Amino acid sequence: MTTALITGITGQDGSYLAELLLAKGYRVVGVVRRSSTTPYERIAHLVDRVELVSADLLDQHSLVDAMAGCSPNEVYNLAAQSFVQTSWSQPVLTGEFSGLGVTRVLEAVRKAAPTARVYQASSSEMFGKVAESPQNEGTSFYPRSPYGVAKVYGHWITVNYRESYGMFAVSGILFNHESPRRGLEFVTRKVTDAAARIKLGLARDVRLGNLEARRDWGFAGDYVDAMWRMLQQDTAEDYVIGTGQTRSVRQLCEVAFGAVGLDYREHVVQDERFFRPAEVDLLVADGTKAHARLGWRPTMSFEDLIAMMVEADLARHRATR
């Protein structure tokens, strides 16, 4: 049985990836941080089918122990401080988790599981102030946030370990990917949750920042399949993963509120507090390489994705009324 170790298993991507790997017959081991509470909401339906081990991206020894204890064939490093806005208020912590944390994972693999194949979660935020559109594997990086800078470090240290030690280590440069399991702080979920609450009479408006920022949004369930495919290749290479289509935050609002028969213009308030100190205006993927070599393509449209998220938020609020 193939063993996969997932850091960040309790997050959106980790939960979908765990489902995918279990369906393929994997033994799945998830790394969780020791806590007085058990925030396993996203994997509640999986906890009796996965193994959970305590380790932390800030603690090298715990990661080595986790690798040695389960002898993984594949390692997926999905743990990070993943919210861009928070990276300005907590830049050092973001660097520790999303930058140096990657080094600790790679070093733990090198010492305790040297034959394991490693996936590193890179991000389209690395492109930042884009040099070209759409962005592909050769596009230069120009990050515009501490999060983006940390992700660039994580990306290049993965390349360095691959070239220095011959490790099978790859980075997936994933563009924005969403689902009903997305955190409420992210703009897509903030909008779909607001549309649901306003429809149910639980709120009257929602405050957002730059409505003209454009992103390439896809379904997280599709994107974890791309992660898995990267580790099944003969050679370790990095891949851009996205839909190749871009929409503005304004269009996101229009689709989400339209799904419940509302006009977003009556409920969305633009608030300068939610503008980024350095804005990223446009991100859109050129997934040509992933299409050709991985055979990967997205399966869910933007409209269906947002409708699914709104419906899930409606159901959640109705259940608690």
Side-chain angles (χ1 to χ4, degrees):
M1 180 181 292
T2 303
T3 297
L5 182 143
I6 305 172
T7 72
I9 194 172
T10 60
Q12 171 189 250
D13 291 7
S15 66
Y16 280 111
L17 178 62
E19 287 178 349
L20 176 75
L21 297 180
L22 287 170
K24 293 182 180 294
Y26 277 58
R27 172 194 176 208
V28 176
V29 180
V31 171
V32 294
R33 301 180 69 193
R34 188 174 298 282
S35 172
S36 59
T37 59
T38 53
Y40 300 160
E41 178 184 357
R42 296 184 181 95
I43 60 168
H45 60 302
L46 302 176
V47 289
D48 60 343
R49 301 173 60 200
V50 302
E51 301 171 37
L52 299 178
V53 298
S54 179
D56 197 308
L57 261 65
L58 302 185
D59 182 67
Q60 184 72 64
H61 183 74
S62 68
L63 291 171
V64 172
D65 282 352
M67 299 292 174
C70 70
S71 300
N73 305 101
E74 298 174 2
V75 174
Y76 296 85
N77 182 37
L78 310 184
Q81 189 299 99
S82 59
F83 187 44
V84 175
Q85 193 71 32
T86 296
S87 74
W88 276 287
S89 59
Q90 299 184 29
V92 176
L93 183 67
T94 299
E96 285 284 356
F97 275 118
S98 304
L100 288 176
V102 183
T103 310
R104 296 187 187 102
V105 169
L106 290 166
E107 192 65 5
V109 171
R110 187 175 75 87
K111 290 181 176 179
T115 61
R117 296 187 169 203
V118 182
Y119 172 86
Q120 163 59 19
S122 287
S123 167
S124 60
E125 287 288 332
M126 301 188 304
F127 294 124
K129 189 175 181 179
V130 297
E132 60 182 347
S133 283
Q135 295 87 55
N136 60 37
E137 293 79 6
T139 302
S140 59
F141 300 139
Y142 194 144
R144 298 270 282 170
S145 65
Y147 170 81
V149 172
K151 280 293 186 179
V152 170
Y153 176 92
H155 180 87
W156 281 116
I157 199 66
T158 302
V159 173
N160 182 260
Y161 269 64
R162 180 169 72 216
E163 295 179 349
S164 299
Y165 302 114
M167 294 172 61
F168 193 107
V170 304
S171 288
I173 306 174
L174 271 56
F175 282 63
N176 295 63
H177 45 290
E178 320 297 323
S179 77
R181 301 177 193 175
R182 189 59 138 157
L184 284 166
E185 68 272 23
F186 291 86
V187 68
T188 46
R189 187 73 193 289
K190 184 176 180 180
V191 168
T192 63
D193 181 68
R197 287 187 294 110
I198 292 168
K199 179 65 176 180
L200 296 174
L202 302 175
R204 290 194 293 183
D205 59 40
V206 59
R207 294 180 175 272
L208 302 173
N210 182 9
L211 299 182
E212 308 313 323
R214 302 182 68 87
R215 293 293 185 272
D216 182 332
W217 279 300
F219 173 47
D222 288 338
Y223 287 46
V224 298
D225 177 60
M227 299 176 188
W228 176 78
R229 290 175 185 243
M230 289 180 211
L231 294 193
Q232 312 315 308
Q233 303 305 301
D234 292 333
T235 57
E237 297 183 42
D238 305 325
Y239 292 87
V240 161
I241 303 296
T243 70
Q245 299 179 0
T246 180
R247 289 175 175 82
S248 66
V249 176
R250 186 181 300 278
Q251 289 172 299
L252 162 66
C253 294
E254 183 177 9
V255 172
F257 279 84
V260 290
L262 298 175
D263 185 342
Y264 80 94
R265 292 171 293 187
E266 297 177 4
H267 304 285
V268 173
V269 179
Q270 203 162 20
D271 189 328
E272 290 186 1
R273 291 178 302 167
F274 297 105
F275 279 75
R276 294 182 178 185
E279 188 57 70
V280 174
D281 297 314
L282 170 67
L283 293 173
V284 58
D286 176 0
T288 302
K289 181 179 176 182
H291 300 162
R293 300 193 189 179
L294 301 180
W296 179 88
R297 289 184 182 275
T299 66
M300 185 176 291
S301 71
F302 175 77
E303 290 75 16
D304 287 346
L305 169 63
I306 300 305
M308 176 178 69
M309 293 173 66
V310 171
E311 187 56 42
D313 283 322
L314 281 169
R316 181 171 54 87
H317 286 298
R318 283 171 177 151
T320 58
R321 292 182 75 176

